[in-house]
Amino acid sequence: MNIKQAKEHIRNSVRLYLKRDEYGEYRIPVVRQRPIFLLGSPGIGKTAIMEQIAQELGIALVSYSMTHHTRQSALGLPFITHKNYKGLEFDISEYTMSEIIASIYEVMEQSGIEEGILFLDEINCVSETLAPSMLQFLQYKVFGRHKVPDGWVIVTAGNPPEYNKSVREFDVVTMDRMKLVEVEADYATWKEYALRQGIHNAVTTYLDMKKNDFYRVETTVGGKSYVTARGWEDLSATMLLCEEEGLAVDETLVAQYLHNDRIVKEFTAYYELYNKYKKDYKVEEILAGTNSAQVVERARIAKFDERLSLLGMLLDRLESEMKENLERSDYLTDLMRLLKIIRTLCEKDAEKGVEEQIAEQIQNREKLLASMANAGTLSAEDRRRHRAVIRFLETAARKLRAGSYDEAAAFALIREDFDAEVAGMKEENGRIQARLHNLFAFSEVAFMDGNEVLVLVTELTVNAYSARFIGLYGSADYQRHNEDLMLHERQDDIMKEIEALEL
């Protein structure tokens, strides 16, 4: 299965394991909660999906790589303790708590979240001294003398033997105690993730044309040659920062992330061409609707690869703006809900003023942020939204301290600032809708009935942000082209049915 299917399977398994009966007991006893073993090639996003699952289920996450652990750190260190049994005194060996188990209790204490996922990566690469203890752990959730707290689901991951010389193949007894989930690299699934994460557009447009370069592991005369999803994502992050700082992205840099000579050369050459297209076509002018006839003509006679790169640049710019607009809308929705709570609290408790209530809500929001961060469930989007709410409240508190306001005047001042932010969001929303129309207008003239229009509609549909933006605010251009494409597909289906009847 691909990584998206694996994520859904693991998420459902975790939900079932944490399901309780009317007495608060887990429906599946802990001893029957088989650890999940996620087996797949390196760098395909196994760790990333665990973070996403924890965020979506609102539970904590503790991650460890087992290659870093010795028997002592995993099981605890021995110490001598004195015991008395029926009048007889003995010195016996005890063990300190496992570092892994202790970290779970620390997360529970810091976050206040009692349930979570213990994710152990490279589980099949444990040291020889630790290997015998793994069977006990996988069956009974015990490290040394200490048990994993109830409510914590164990998910493990590892690479197949062909990717790692340190891999120990589990025997039948061990495998019979786990749920095996095998996952393979899949570009179409990774691209959905890439669009959400803001992966550099040059990476996705290159891979759209050369999907086989997404994931490659080969043995050559010079040794191992490999390109992974992790490599592309890390390269993307570096490229974005290099562009901010005006630094060159050359073969030397690319080769630090992609370990395949051919792909390094071809991607570096494509990136140079990509930047040339960006400069020649003047993307901003196309989206603003002020592009020249020469730009339209160049796009019309360009080869498909060049057209695809241009379309990718246009979509990247527009979808980034849609993402920011939607995040701003979510922040304002969250803020409006909180301001209503503050007003209600002020009405119930006349002794506390507006400024004091705001200070309490800022403190509560800071605690929530810290709790989510400690639990490993704080996404980048959630962090930005909470920070934006806190910033608005802090600004409001400073304004109130600078003047003398009664409760009605204080809320009028806050409402004025809130309305200004809403108006700004709506103004930006209208600007983006106009730019989307300009993109369709340019595509219709430059690409006419080519496959590029199909690509445009498809990309707007599969991208989570553009799909949500259009769903909320509409787009007559998108709707018209989408209906045309659906009709065309239906006609193709009818023709296939007629051919099958051999009339």
Side-chain angles (χ1 to χ4, degrees), residues 230-401:
R230 183 190 295 122
W232 285 113
E233 184 168 4
D234 291 348
L235 173 61
S236 164
T238 302
M239 289 169 61
L240 291 168
L241 288 176
C242 284
E243 290 176 354
E244 282 184 21
E245 297 296 322
L247 302 176
V249 176
D250 53 19
E251 283 190 20
T252 302
L253 177 68
V254 175
Q256 294 169 14
Y257 299 93
L258 310 179
H259 302 276
N260 180 293
D261 291 342
R262 177 189 64 78
I263 295 176
V264 167
K265 291 181 183 298
E266 291 186 5
F267 177 73
T268 306
Y270 172 77
Y271 179 68
E272 292 176 1
L273 198 59
Y274 175 90
N275 285 326
K276 184 178 184 301
Y277 294 156
K278 183 184 288 187
K279 181 180 178 182
D280 292 349
Y281 278 105
K282 298 180 176 61
V283 167
E284 181 56 37
E285 290 184 6
I286 294 174
L287 292 175
T290 59
N291 54 279
S292 65
Q294 289 86 350
V295 168
V296 174
E297 180 60 18
R298 174 171 176 172
R300 191 185 66 79
I301 63 174
K303 293 182 180 179
F304 181 70
D305 287 1
E306 184 173 332
R307 289 177 163 198
L308 200 61
S309 297
L310 171 59
L311 191 57
M313 287 185 282
L314 292 164
L315 279 166
D316 183 57
R317 177 76 64 85
L318 191 59
E319 288 171 341
S320 295
E321 294 173 0
M322 289 177 174
K323 177 182 178 181
E324 290 179 10
N325 185 263
L326 289 169
E327 286 190 2
R328 191 174 179 184
S329 174
D330 290 340
Y331 138 66
L332 289 171
T333 300
D334 189 5
L335 177 60
M336 181 175 65
R337 193 181 304 117
L338 189 58
L339 293 176
K340 288 181 178 179
I341 290 172
I342 292 173
R343 181 147 207 165
T344 301
L345 291 173
C346 286
E347 291 171 356
K348 289 182 178 180
D349 188 355
E351 294 183 4
K352 284 186 180 180
V354 179
E355 190 178 330
E356 192 175 351
Q357 292 287 2
I358 288 176
E360 278 193 16
Q361 292 304 322
I362 291 174
Q363 189 177 21
N364 291 341
R365 189 60 64 115
E366 290 282 11
K367 286 181 180 178
L368 176 62
L369 262 175
S371 173
M372 294 174 70
N374 289 327
T377 59
L378 183 63
S379 67
E381 288 182 11
D382 284 340
R383 181 185 292 108
R384 288 192 293 270
R385 176 169 54 81
H386 289 306
R387 283 295 169 203
V389 169
I390 291 170
R391 182 180 59 200
F392 181 94
L393 294 179
E394 288 175 339
T395 301
R398 282 195 299 270
K399 286 186 176 182
L400 293 177
R401 283 196 298 270

Side-chain angles (χ1 to χ4, degrees), residues 372-489:
M372 294 174 70
N374 289 327
T377 59
L378 183 63
S379 67
E381 288 182 11
D382 284 340
R383 181 185 292 108
R384 288 192 293 270
R385 176 169 54 81
H386 289 306
R387 283 295 169 203
V389 169
I390 291 170
R391 182 180 59 200
F392 181 94
L393 294 179
E394 288 175 339
T395 301
R398 282 195 299 270
K399 286 186 176 182
L400 293 177
R401 283 196 298 270
S404 179
Y405 300 92
D406 60 20
E407 185 175 308
F411 276 110
L413 179 66
I414 294 170
R415 180 60 185 263
E416 184 180 340
D417 289 345
F418 178 80
D419 287 346
E421 291 232 21
V422 172
M425 185 269 293
K426 289 182 177 179
E427 182 180 346
E428 178 66 10
N429 182 292
R431 190 183 76 89
I432 293 171
Q433 286 182 300
R435 288 161 73 81
L436 178 59
H437 170 72
N438 292 336
L439 173 56
F440 271 105
F442 174 82
S443 300
E444 289 166 1
V445 176
F447 306 138
M448 292 182 282
D449 294 327
N451 288 332
E452 293 80 8
V453 177
L454 170 61
V455 172
L456 171 59
V457 174
T458 303
E459 290 293 327
L460 289 171
T461 303
V462 299
N463 182 283
Y465 299 107
S466 55
R468 184 183 166 201
F469 185 92
I470 293 171
L472 285 172
Y473 307 116
S475 167
D477 300 294
Y478 172 86
Q479 191 67 29
R480 174 166 47 84
H481 282 285
N482 194 36
E483 289 173 356
D484 289 344
L485 290 171
M486 290 174 65
L487 178 60
H488 181 70
E489 290 172 2

